[in-house]
């Protein structure tokens, strides 16, 4: 298939538009896209709901929020000056430091002058006559821009449980993903945390230290493994800095862009003693090593997965003093690593504290929230504070919140009703000139590595168009079908796709998200990038240009 360049069919002069490009979101994706689009000389406006930059790291300011990727593997790699200037203080830095880093990026590259804060995008309609996006804001303002880049995150639409009475509660309450800037003081308070995903785990281990009493309401437990965080002294930071080229090269080579590499051996290709020693080593090691650096068959071979699950279950039994509580904390409905593994620091030990109680919602479901606290099937609990660590309408949820319509007025939400379909995770047929960073079916993992790649790919495509005076590009339906088939092929045989989680499109709190869908690309990042590079090298075959 050959790209069609029909520059003479241009339908609008750029100058009549408000901007050349609108970028939605000023997290890492949006900031970097702005930086790269400026290089093309484009007039760019970034629209951001928050009052500051950082996206995920702006909103998720709950106590204990921190990286699960090694800090130095997470920061931007594109600027040597930035790498030279910034020291990470911990192997897994906390939210306040990460937010400071985001602010430094915004200041250093003078990004703020093109970011409009406190601005929510309510709708974005493709205006076919003008070949441009008509973007409407919460206050009614209407902007037109040739290109629209969504940098809206894949875990950024917080969801509350559908309990009755949430608004009746007379104490203080918050969702982890919408944490108040002034913080919440837990000292001397009776606190409830509902939800035990990665956010809940981080919050629980921290809040347990200061609350007078903490009750954790857990529905399905997750497999959590130790983070093994530690400070980075100056000399170590200098060594890390000297090794940045190798570190980022490694991230380019690993399956999910982490510094951890899947072990090429199969679980049963080593002796039992070797296996145990390997797992002990991984459990004692930092970060996602035990998840992303385990035997190659851990997530595809049921028996291999059962064995590693037993290994981690035993660790939980060793760490939690009350055997009944330990059993409550051990997942029975899914194997290790088939859902996102929360990283913890003395999480399990929190349940040994006298001020912490675990309530299993499988045995004692919450019936409603009351003025005083929580009513379960067994009793009434009184609280001063309730924390909802109940997760996000993931991957497509942040798109669903905006009324996005493409050619012929078709809604993106309708188009994706049976599950998202994209071309390389960046484009959707019928939604011309819309580009997604970290969209459905793009490579995930250690996200900034993928963000940098996606942003540069989008910059190159827009550059290709502007150089040739091409106004509009769209993905061909057959390209989308091809990518969708590839994504589905890559998902085959993976145990994680048999499990309910945000990674399989499930959110029981959101209407219509109760059926498992392939929302994630589960091939490797190097393979993803190679495919995208091929598209660019071919002169963007797979796209239509008009
Ligand atoms: P999550 O993993 O979706 O966990 C939500 C929790 O709330 C689950 O325990 C869920 O129980 C529970 N829940 C939801 N609705 C409920 C209801 N109606 N009744 C009872 N329980 C309910 O969300 P998350 O913890 O915010 O994490 C989401 C993702 O964000 C993570 O997987 C990770 O990718 C990312 N994250 C990253 C970091 C980091 O990198 N440092 C930190 C935090 C989060 P069920 O399991 O039974 O549904």
């Amino acid at each position: 298939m050959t790209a069609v360049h029909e520059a003479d069919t241009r339908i609008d002069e750029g100058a009549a538009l408000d901007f050349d490009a609108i970028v939605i979101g000023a997290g890492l994706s949006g900031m970097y896209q702005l930086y790269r689009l400026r290089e093309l000389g484009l007039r760019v406006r970034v629209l951001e709901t928050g009052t500051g930059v950082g996206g995920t790291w702006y909103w998720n300011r709950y106590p204990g929020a921190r990286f699960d990727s090694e800090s130095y593997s997470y920061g931007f790699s594109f600027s040597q000056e930035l790498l030279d200037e910034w020291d990470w203080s911990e192997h897994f830095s906390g939210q306040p430091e990460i937010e400071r880093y985001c602010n430094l990026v915004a200041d250093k590259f003078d990004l703020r002058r093109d970011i409009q804060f406190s601005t929510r995008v309510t709708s974005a309609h493709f205006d076919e006559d003008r070949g441009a996006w008509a973007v409407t804001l919460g206050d009614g303002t209407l902007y037109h821009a040739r290109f629209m880049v969504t940098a809206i995150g894949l875990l950024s639409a917080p969801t509350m449980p559908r309990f009755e009475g949430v608004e009746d509660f007379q104490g203080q309450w918050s969702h982890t993903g919408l944490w108040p800037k002034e913080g919440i003081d837990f000292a001397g308070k009776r606190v409830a945390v509902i939800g035990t995903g990665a956010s809940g785990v981080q919050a629980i281990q921290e809040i347990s230290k200061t609350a007078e009493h903490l009750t954790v309401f857990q529905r399905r437990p997750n497999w959590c493994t130790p983070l093994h965080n530690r400070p980075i002294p100056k000399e170590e930071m200098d060594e890390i800095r000297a090794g940045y080229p190798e570190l980022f090269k490694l991230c380019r080579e690993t399956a999910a862009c982490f510094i951890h590499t899947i072990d090429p051996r199969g679980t049963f290709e080593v002796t039992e003693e070797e296996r145990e020693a390997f797992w002990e080593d991984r459990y004692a090691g930092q970060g996602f090593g035990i998840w992303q650096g385990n035997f190659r068959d851990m997530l595809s071979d049921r028996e291999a997965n059962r064995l590693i699950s037993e290994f981690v279950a035993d660790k939980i039994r060793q760490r939690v003093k009350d055997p009944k509580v330990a059993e409550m904390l051990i997942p029975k409905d899914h194997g290790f690593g088939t859902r996102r593994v929360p990283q913890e620091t003395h999480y399990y030990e929190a349940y040994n504290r006298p001020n912490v109680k675990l309530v299993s919602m499988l045995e004692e479901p919450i019936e409603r929230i009351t003025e005083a606290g929580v009513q379960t099937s067994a009793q009434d609990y009184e609280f001063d504070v309730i924390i909802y660590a109940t997760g996000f309408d993931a991957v497509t949820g942040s798109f669903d919140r905006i009324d996005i319509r493409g050619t012929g007025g078709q809604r993106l939400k309708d188009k994706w009703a049976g599950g998202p379909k994209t071309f390389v995770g960046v484009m959707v047929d019928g939604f011309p000139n819309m580009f997604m960073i970290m969209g459905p079916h793009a490579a995930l993992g250690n996200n900034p590595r993928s963000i940098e790649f996606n942003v540069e790919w989008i910059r190159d495509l827009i550059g290709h168009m502007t150089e040739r005076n091409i106004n509009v590009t769209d993905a061909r339906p057959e390209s989308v079908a091809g990518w969708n088939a590839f994504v589905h092929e890559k998902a085959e045989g993976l145990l994680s796709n048999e499990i309910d989680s945000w990674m399989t499109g499930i959110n029981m709190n959101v209407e219509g998200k109760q059926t498992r869908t392939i929302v994630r690309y589960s091939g490797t990042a190097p393979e993803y990038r190679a495919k995208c590079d091929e598209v660019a090298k071919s002169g963007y075959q797979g796209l239509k240009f008009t």
Side-chain angles (χ1 to χ4, degrees):
M1 212 176 306
T2 323
V4 189
H5 297 165
E6 297 168 32
D8 53 350
T9 61
R10 272 203 295 165
I11 36 193
D12 201 272
E13 289 304 318
L17 302 171
D18 298 295
F19 307 104
D20 297 311
I22 277 180
V23 176
I24 312 176
L28 293 179
S29 303
M31 286 199 289
Y32 188 45
Q33 190 70 74
L34 167 60
Y35 176 83
R36 286 299 183 196
L37 290 182
R38 272 185 188 165
E39 287 178 336
L40 300 176
L42 300 191
R43 292 168 305 141
V44 185
R45 173 66 60 93
V46 179
L47 304 170
E48 165 58 49
T49 307
T51 59
V53 296
T56 288
W57 303 109
Y58 168 89
W59 296 103
N60 289 268
R61 44 183 83 235
Y62 58 85
R66 64 176 61 252
F67 282 146
D68 274 353
S69 304
E70 286 72 4
S71 310
Y72 32 85
S73 74
Y74 192 99
F76 280 122
S77 72
F78 70 89
S79 159
Q80 189 57 46
E81 246 184 69
L82 181 63
L83 291 168
D84 289 342
E85 182 176 339
W86 179 264
D87 284 358
W88 292 105
S89 74
E90 293 178 272
H91 282 261
F92 302 89
S93 290
Q95 181 274 336
E97 182 171 328
I98 306 166
E99 196 185 10
R100 279 200 299 281
Y101 174 78
C102 294
N103 278 299
L104 171 76
V105 171
D107 293 336
K108 185 170 179 61
F109 301 105
D110 188 22
L111 301 179
R112 285 179 215 280
R113 67 185 154 88
D114 290 322
I115 304 177
Q116 186 174 324
F117 292 102
S118 307
T119 299
R120 183 175 284 285
V121 172
T122 55
S123 74
H125 296 178
F126 188 69
D127 180 334
E128 289 171 62
D129 295 334
R130 301 184 77 177
W133 282 91
V135 176
T136 307
L137 313 183
D139 66 0
T141 306
L142 175 67
Y143 289 139
H144 284 89
R146 176 75 66 219
F147 303 106
M148 178 172 81
V149 182
T150 62
I152 52 185
L154 74 153
L155 291 155
S156 53
T159 48
M160 289 289 288
R162 293 195 268 185
F163 299 141
E164 262 180 59
V166 168
E167 300 287 340
D168 297 344
F169 180 58
Q170 295 300 299
Q172 199 176 359
W173 61 273
S174 178
H175 188 286
T176 46
L178 290 170
W179 204 260
K181 276 196 188 142
E182 62 280 12
I184 297 178
D185 181 12
F186 293 102
K189 305 264 175 68
R190 298 160 303 167
V191 182
V193 173
I194 302 173
T196 53
S199 306
V201 165
Q202 288 186 334
I204 288 161
Q205 63 201 18
E206 220 41 49
I207 296 171
S208 68
K209 295 178 194 162
T210 50
E212 181 185 297
H213 193 274
L214 170 64
T215 306
V216 176
F217 291 92
Q218 168 190 268
R219 193 162 58 185
R220 289 173 299 160
N222 283 301
W223 299 99
C224 312
T225 52
L227 182 65
H228 292 304
N229 189 21
R230 59 195 164 85
I232 304 179
K234 179 86 183 82
E235 316 75 67
E236 192 181 356
M237 188 62 229
D238 289 342
E239 278 169 33
I240 291 170
R241 198 184 333 272
Y244 269 140
E246 292 77 38
L247 184 132
F248 290 125
K249 180 171 177 288
L250 175 64
C251 291
R252 277 196 297 277
E253 290 164 0
T254 59
C257 312
F258 293 103
I259 61 172
H260 308 284
T261 315
I262 293 167
D263 195 289
R265 296 170 299 170
T267 304
F268 303 104
E269 289 166 13
V270 296
T271 64
E272 201 179 326
E273 291 71 35
E274 280 173 312
R275 194 156 63 220
E276 285 290 312
F278 175 68
W279 284 339
E280 286 293 349
D281 179 66
R282 286 289 179 269
Y283 197 80
Q286 71 180 27
F288 280 139
I290 194 164
W291 187 33
Q292 296 291 326
N294 215 311
F295 293 121
R296 67 173 152 74
D297 54 359
M298 182 185 82
L299 293 176
S300 54
D301 182 306
R302 277 175 217 285
E303 185 56 11
N305 189 260
R306 190 186 68 75
L307 287 182
I308 179 69
S309 302
E310 254 323 296
F311 174 86
V312 181
D314 280 343
K315 292 289 179 199
I316 299 171
R317 291 187 186 104
Q318 286 159 22
R319 292 175 57 185
V320 179
K321 285 190 188 141
D322 182 336
K324 182 168 180 288
V325 175
E327 287 313 310
M328 283 162 73
L329 289 163
I330 296 172
K332 308 289 189 297
D333 66 335
H334 69 283
F336 177 76
T338 59
R339 295 174 104 198
R340 202 315 194 141
V341 176
Q343 298 278 280
E344 48 88 22
T345 305
H346 308 310
Y347 171 66
Y348 289 111
E349 286 73 14
Y351 295 98
N352 297 335
R353 302 173 73 110
N355 66 330
V356 178
K357 177 184 165 77
L358 178 64
V359 175
S360 169
M361 292 175 62
L362 300 175
E363 294 163 15
E364 193 185 328
I366 291 180
E367 290 189 336
R368 61 166 296 136
I369 305 298
T370 64
E371 283 187 16
V374 172
Q375 180 188 320
T376 69
S377 58
Q379 69 179 91
D380 281 331
Y381 294 82
E382 290 191 2
F383 298 113
D384 303 305
V385 186
I386 299 179
I387 302 306
Y388 295 95
T390 45
F392 301 88
D393 184 358
V395 188
T396 52
S398 48
F399 290 89
D400 292 349
R401 293 196 296 185
I402 304 172
D403 174 18
I404 300 177
R405 298 190 202 184
T407 50
Q410 68 180 324
R411 290 169 193 268
L412 185 63
K413 197 172 174 173
D414 294 340
K415 176 116 183 156
W416 283 353
K421 291 190 180 71
T422 72
F423 180 55
V424 299
V426 177
M427 297 175 71
V428 183
D429 55 316
F431 294 78
N433 288 8
M434 179 180 94
F435 308 109
M436 304 175 289
I437 308 170
M438 305 300 299
H441 296 174
L444 304 177
N446 187 21
N447 290 340
R449 303 284 67 81
S450 300
I451 288 170
E452 285 186 336
F453 180 81
N454 271 169
V455 161
E456 290 165 20
W457 195 89
I458 293 167
R459 185 264 328 259
D460 290 349
L461 170 54
I462 294 179
H464 175 92
M465 293 172 69
T466 50
E467 275 167 23
R468 292 163 178 78
N469 284 331
I470 301 165
N471 277 340
V472 179
T473 183
D474 196 359
R476 293 180 187 275
E478 59 271 28
S479 316
V480 172
W483 186 256
N484 197 47
F486 173 65
V487 167
H488 280 251
E489 180 198 314
K490 288 283 151 189
E492 270 169 35
L494 270 183
L495 299 176
S496 43
N497 288 324
E498 300 173 5
I499 305 295
D500 288 355
S501 78
W502 70 258
M503 294 195 186
T504 48
I506 299 284
N507 188 321
M508 302 314 271
N509 304 317
V510 180
E511 198 76 49
K513 299 226 167 149
Q514 279 78 46
T515 311
R516 269 185 228 142
T517 344
I518 304 291
V519 291
R520 257 181 347 133
Y521 161 77
S522 33
T524 69
E527 194 175 3
Y528 171 81
R529 288 192 296 266
K531 294 258 180 202
C532 293
D533 285 342
E534 262 171 45
V535 174
K537 275 198 204 109
S538 71
Y540 300 97
Q541 287 192 10
L543 304 186
K544 291 183 276 191
F545 291 106
T546 50

